Amino acid sequence: MTVEFTDQYGAALRRNSVGVKVGHVTIGGSAPVVVQSMTNTDTADIAGTVKQVADLARAGSELVRITVDRAEAAAAVATIRDQLDAMNVNVPLIGDFHFNGHKLLNENPACAEALAKFRINPGNVGRGSKRDSQFAQMIETAQKFDKPVRIGVNWGSLDADLIARMMDENRQRDEPLSAQILTREAMIESALSSAKRAEELGMDRSKIILSVKMSIVQDLVAVYRAIADRCDYALHLGLTEAGMGSKGIVASSAALGILMQQGIGDTIRISLTPEPGGDRSREVIVAQELLQSMGIRSFTPLVTACPGCGRTTSTFFQELADSIQSYLREQMPIWKPNHPGVEDMTVAVMGCVVNGPGESKHANIGISLPGTGERPAAPIYVDGEKTVTLKGDHIAAEFLQLVENYVRDNYRKAA
């Protein structure tokens, strides 16, 4: 990814990485940051996995990772790919391998062919003398089928032999590193040495993506800053084991926001633990909203809505804001091919006269609802100008129609 921001002194902050093709999606180089997700179905459950992959893709996931942990899962991958293609869901699939990936890929060439990328964890690809040969087998299979790899280091499964060696070396230092710093260095060493070995085995740099995932925000920021300074491989960002609900969202956004503001990161995943019975697609929406809130990419029109206060005792504006946000996201699959640029549209739904007119004027289209004690009328602003005032029992439906009209009139597909 090549991103340019400026710091408070106006100096450019840049990061350049090698572009990697994953199916029809490009990661790194000059490509936009890519949103990724992962299924939590048993991959051997073909119907369940196909449905979840399709749901994630329709929510906006541009890459979807699936678990390939045993023979039954590997045998299902080609059929999953075929069924997705038949549904016109062409999202690239990434195989997540641990412990036995070399064996599964060797015994299931159709699986290797159907996947767009292999994820290899150097911490558990093999132990001792087996590690090098099993890692080499996976790299050789990737080359045979012309597939890129993500060398994904995770601090919960660091290579035990590497840690032992680095601890021995650290003890010999005049000023030994702290356990925290040593762990960070081990993460970087594992990723870079594995990438170097892959290149020695003949893999091109344009086929390699790295990740160094940790679960503490400051550790993650530090380790990605360091590895970005030491290489130009494409980088996948994610706070591993981020957690549930607001904790997972806040922690992931804090870490990834810092890094992306500095131009670090080419693909992201928000690793949320779903609530019981929750929608797996939530992590996709959060990733998109993070990128859009930072001004890095646009995915769907944004709704500006006030939080409410004593002036807005009615919940009508909250319900309208929620319905508008849902409506915009539901309409995007229809609008996107026919109304280019609509993802940059802004809509304001405000609850009283204090900030309502001002915020509405800043949006492409906005509505300022009456607060407590205000005249029961809702002025509409279009591109900064008041156009009409809505009244009565059908304000919500009438405003939705005005939004639809705005999209039709302002985001037209070129002839």
Side-chain angles (χ1 to χ4, degrees), residues 316 320 350 360 366-370 374-381 386-392 395-396 398-399 402:
F316 179 74
L320 180 58
M350 301 299 293
S360 295
I367 182 171
S368 180
L369 295 162
E374 294 176 16
R375 188 166 58 90
I380 304 299
Y381 295 84
K386 182 179 174 181
T387 59
V388 67
T389 298
L390 303 182
K391 301 177 182 179
I395 288 177
E398 291 173 5
F399 184 64
L402 290 172

Side-chain angles (χ1 to χ4, degrees), residues 49 59 111 145:
T49 302
C111 170
F145 289 93

Side-chain angles (χ1 to χ4, degrees), residues 24 124 134 137 173 209 236-237 250 261 263 320 410:
H24 64 274
N124 57 34
Q134 292 175 184
Q137 286 180 57
R173 293 173 177 262
I209 299 166
H236 169 76
L237 300 187
V250 170
Q261 183 67 22
L320 180 58
N410 291 275

Side-chain angles (χ1 to χ4, degrees), residues 138-414:
M138 293 200 70
I139 296 299
E140 288 162 3
T141 301
Q143 291 179 280
K144 177 181 177 180
F145 289 93
D146 194 27
K147 306 294 182 179
V149 299
R150 171 158 72 94
I151 296 173
V153 181
N154 192 305
W155 77 337
S157 52
L158 264 172
D159 181 353
D161 294 335
L162 173 65
I163 283 287
R165 175 176 63 79
M166 292 185 68
M167 289 177 65
D168 287 341
E169 293 171 354
N170 191 50
R171 281 191 286 268
Q172 306 305 313
R173 293 173 177 262
D174 292 335
E175 296 183 9
L177 302 175
S178 67
Q180 182 184 44
I181 299 300
L182 185 66
T183 300
R184 292 176 182 175
E185 286 299 314
M187 297 280 293
I188 296 167
E189 172 64 20
S190 179
L192 293 181
S193 63
S194 296
K196 179 181 178 181
R197 179 56 180 152
E199 289 195 59
E200 290 172 350
L201 291 165
M203 178 158 277
D204 192 87
R205 297 176 72 78
S206 66
K207 296 287 188 181
I208 299 172
I209 299 166
L210 300 185
S211 66
V212 280
K213 290 189 175 184
M214 307 179 85
S215 61
I216 295 176
V217 170
Q218 296 296 348
D219 283 321
L220 189 85
V221 170
V223 79
Y224 269 102
R225 279 175 170 168
I227 199 169
D229 284 342
R230 301 183 199 180
C231 74
D232 62 356
Y233 295 109
L235 297 178
H236 169 76
L237 300 187
L239 186 76
T240 190
E241 286 86 46
M244 298 178 71
S246 60
K247 186 271 180 184
I249 293 171
V250 170
S252 292
S253 298
L256 274 57
I258 292 169
L259 292 167
M260 288 188 294
Q261 183 67 22
Q262 297 177 0
I264 298 171
D266 303 289
T267 173
I268 68 169
R269 182 192 173 201
I270 304 295
S271 300
L272 296 181
T273 304
E275 305 288 345
D279 186 353
R280 188 70 165 182
S281 300
R282 179 63 177 153
E283 67 178 49
V284 179
I285 295 170
V286 172
Q288 290 181 330
E289 290 177 344
L290 173 59
L291 290 170
Q292 190 152 354
S293 295
M294 294 185 68
I296 294 174
R297 284 188 69 181
S298 295
F299 297 92
T300 190
L302 288 181
V303 174
T304 299
C306 65
C309 67
R311 290 176 176 270
T312 55
T313 53
S314 169
T315 60
F316 179 74
F317 86 96
Q318 297 167 336
E319 294 164 355
L320 180 58
D322 183 62
S323 66
I324 287 288
Q325 185 70 76
S326 298
Y327 172 78
L328 295 174
R329 187 166 287 279
E330 290 166 2
Q331 288 296 107
M332 277 306 295
I334 302 169
W335 285 347
K336 190 172 182 179
N338 299 309
H339 300 283
V342 69
E343 63 274 11
D344 294 315
M345 183 174 72
T346 56
V347 181
V349 181
M350 301 299 293
C352 80
V353 74
V354 174
N355 291 318
E359 288 286 357
S360 295
K361 290 176 183 178
H362 287 304
N364 293 116
I365 181 169
I367 182 171
S368 180
L369 295 162
T372 304
E374 294 176 16
R375 188 166 58 90
I380 304 299
Y381 295 84
V382 175
D383 293 328
E385 300 294 330
K386 182 179 174 181
T387 59
V388 67
T389 298
L390 303 182
K391 301 177 182 179
D393 298 328
H394 305 290
I395 288 177
E398 291 173 5
F399 184 64
L400 283 176
Q401 185 58 57
L402 290 172
V403 171
E404 188 73 42
N405 294 346
Y406 187 91
V407 171
R408 181 197 63 207
D409 295 340
N410 291 275
Y411 301 98
R412 298 182 179 180
K413 191 172 185 178

